[in-house]
Amino acid sequence: MRASIQLAAAVFFVWSSTAYCIVSMTVPVSPAEKGYESDLGMGWERLHKFALQVYPDIRRMLVPKPAGLEPGDVEAIRNFRRDFQIGMFFAKQIKLADGQTLFDFLMHCSHGMDAANMANIGFDQAGKPYISLQYFPHLRSASSGEDMELNILFRRDGATIKPESPAFSTSILTTPDYLQIHGVRCGR
């Protein structure tokens, strides 16, 4: 246990000009995901269809309503729903340090789903696309019980998923007692 905390601490504070940390995980690239780079629009739609085929329960999830989205804007609502569902597809594949998936953590520990939980396409400085993953679990302070929201930000390049922030995003992958380390408990 002590070795894992020391390892997490060593990884936790590694900074560079191009990346926040050296932690990463490998998640195989799906056949539908391989083509998204060549045709971003249609490739993203194919990935969405694939996600719903692999995990049909994602289709039945209640998608939170984002603030500022006009009720009559069917295209914006459809795109938001798609990005949320693709985000849940990846959350089901990300294994946390305590053995559960990120999806299970969001479903069973977070107090509700955040409208900002999603996947979208980002671009690096050279213009190469990557998949940006963001999740905002609603947790509680372990000491006061007040609502807290921590961010979990990842970047997917090919089969590699790496944290985009040095704090909670990193420790959730490296340290089984990540909730205690950050002074939070489940929000449910």
Side-chain angles (χ1 to χ4, degrees):
M1 183 65 137
R2 170 169 241 137
S4 69
I5 291 173
Q6 289 172 341
L7 172 64
V11 172
F12 193 75
F13 294 106
V14 175
W15 288 77
S16 78
S17 61
T18 57
Y20 289 109
C21 63
I22 57 173
V23 172
S24 67
M25 65 184 309
T26 302
V27 175
V29 176
S30 67
E33 200 180 336
K34 288 179 183 172
Y36 93 91
E37 288 182 7
S38 59
D39 179 2
L40 293 177
M42 290 307 298
W44 202 241
E45 291 298 328
R46 279 193 300 275
L47 179 56
H48 182 231
K49 281 185 174 180
F50 179 77
L52 296 178
Q53 288 172 348
V54 173
Y55 301 115
D57 59 317
I58 293 173
R59 182 186 307 270
R60 295 185 297 274
M61 286 182 69
L62 179 63
V63 178
K65 294 182 193 269
L69 204 58
E70 295 294 324
D73 191 346
V74 177
E75 185 69 15
I77 292 169
R78 190 183 71 74
N79 290 340
F80 172 79
R81 182 176 190 78
R82 176 199 61 210
D83 293 350
F84 178 86
Q85 290 172 332
I86 292 174
M88 292 302 106
F89 167 74
F90 285 112
K92 282 183 169 265
Q93 299 175 64
I94 296 172
K95 193 90 151 171
L96 305 183
D98 63 1
Q100 69 180 322
T101 66
L102 177 55
F103 180 83
D104 290 336
F105 172 74
L106 292 170
M107 292 296 292
H108 303 293
C109 189
S110 178
H111 179 66
M113 283 287 178
D114 194 285
N117 293 344
M118 66 176 60
N120 53 42
I121 299 171
F123 295 91
D124 65 17
Q125 292 178 344
K128 182 179 182 277
Y130 63 89
I131 298 175
S132 174
L133 304 167
Q134 61 182 30
Y135 307 93
F136 300 91
H138 297 260
L139 305 170
R140 297 199 185 275
S141 167
S143 59
S144 70
E146 291 179 27
D147 289 341
M148 293 186 69
E149 187 176 283
L150 298 176
N151 63 38
I152 303 171
L153 308 172
F154 296 118
R155 174 181 172 148
R156 180 168 174 94
D157 284 308
T160 303
I161 294 178
K162 56 188 169 189
E164 285 279 286
S165 70
F168 198 61
S169 300
T170 299
S171 83
I172 202 167
L173 297 179
T174 59
T175 311
D177 56 350
Y178 51 84
L179 290 174
Q180 292 81 15
I181 287 173
H182 291 275
V184 295
R185 61 181 171 83
C186 289
R188 292 188 179 261

